[in-house]
């Protein structure tokens, strides 16, 4: 014996269930209650809270986190995903996190340098899911910048105020600074000139 219950026709919340069985002679029996059956037809919520859009990240342990929540049955998991920027081809970042606060450690050394979109898929205990809007253009940059002193030249004779220059460059996230330093020849004891 079975009946189909369309739970979308009732409000989310807790319900008790019972069955009243009647035989052909008219006798009936009311079952014990099955209590606190939660109807939850409402999707959870959640968005990626870190890293921010257009952030620069690097390393083997970048934290990707979300504010996943569900007021009904509760959050079962938050699955984090990455895609090359704008491609829409999503790959899981590790296993789904089942414990609040929801996050995953992303080893960016396992992917190519470049721009990525990130999203979180939150699933509640009832099986409802919500896919967040993507956080876009997160730049993975695990490649060191380059640079060399371009002036003055080796063995140059200088006096007074001298311009010290470099060809510092970075094809990924860009150069943040160039710190110039000096040391007595061969000593290896470096002092900042300026950045």
């Amino acid at each position: 014996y079975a009946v189909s219950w369309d739970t979308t026709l009732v409000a989310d919340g807790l319900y008790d269930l019972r069955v009243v069985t009647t035989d052909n002679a008219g006798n009936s029996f009311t079952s014990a209650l099955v209590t606190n059956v939660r109807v939850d037809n409402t999707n959870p919520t959640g968005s990626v809270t870190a890293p921010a859009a257009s952030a620069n990240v690097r390393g083997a342990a970048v934290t990707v986190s979300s504010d996943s929540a569900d007021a009904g049955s509760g959050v079962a998991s938050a699955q984090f995903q990455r895609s090359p920027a704008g491609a829409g081809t999503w790959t899981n970042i590790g296993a789904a996190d089942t414990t609040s606060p929801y996050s995953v450690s992303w080893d960016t050394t396992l992917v190519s340098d470049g721009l990525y979109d990130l999203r979180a898929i939150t699933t509640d205990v009832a099986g409802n899911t919500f896919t967040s809007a993507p956080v876009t253009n997160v730049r993975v940059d695990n490649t060191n910048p380059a640079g060399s002193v371009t002036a003055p030249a080796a063995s140059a004779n200088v006096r007074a105020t001298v311009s010290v220059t470099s060809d510092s460059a970075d094809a990924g996230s860009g150069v943040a600074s160039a710190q110039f330093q000096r040391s007595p020849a061969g000593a290896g004891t470096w002092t900042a000139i300026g950045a």
Side-chain angles (χ1 to χ4, degrees), residues 86-167:
T89 53
W90 298 97
T91 302
N92 289 347
I93 304 172
D97 190 358
T98 58
T99 308
S100 177
Y102 301 98
S103 66
V104 68
S105 182
W106 180 22
D107 185 351
T108 65
T109 65
L110 301 178
V111 298
S112 300
D113 281 7
L115 296 175
Y116 290 86
D117 296 336
L118 303 174
R119 71 180 185 181
I121 300 174
T122 303
T123 303
D124 69 17
V125 175
N128 300 304
T129 62
F130 177 77
T131 301
S132 72
V135 169
T136 58
N137 297 321
V138 174
R139 182 177 295 281
V140 171
D141 182 0
N142 286 305
T143 303
N144 289 333
S148 59
V149 174
T150 54
S155 301
N157 295 304
V158 297
R159 68 181 189 88
T161 302
V162 176
S163 180
V164 182
T165 62
S166 75
D167 60 2

Side-chain angles (χ1 to χ4, degrees), residues 54-80:
S54 301
N56 295 309
V57 298
R58 67 179 180 91
V62 173
T63 298
V64 182
S65 60
S66 76
D67 58 3
S68 297
D70 185 75
S73 57
V75 173
S77 67
Q79 177 66 64
F80 297 91

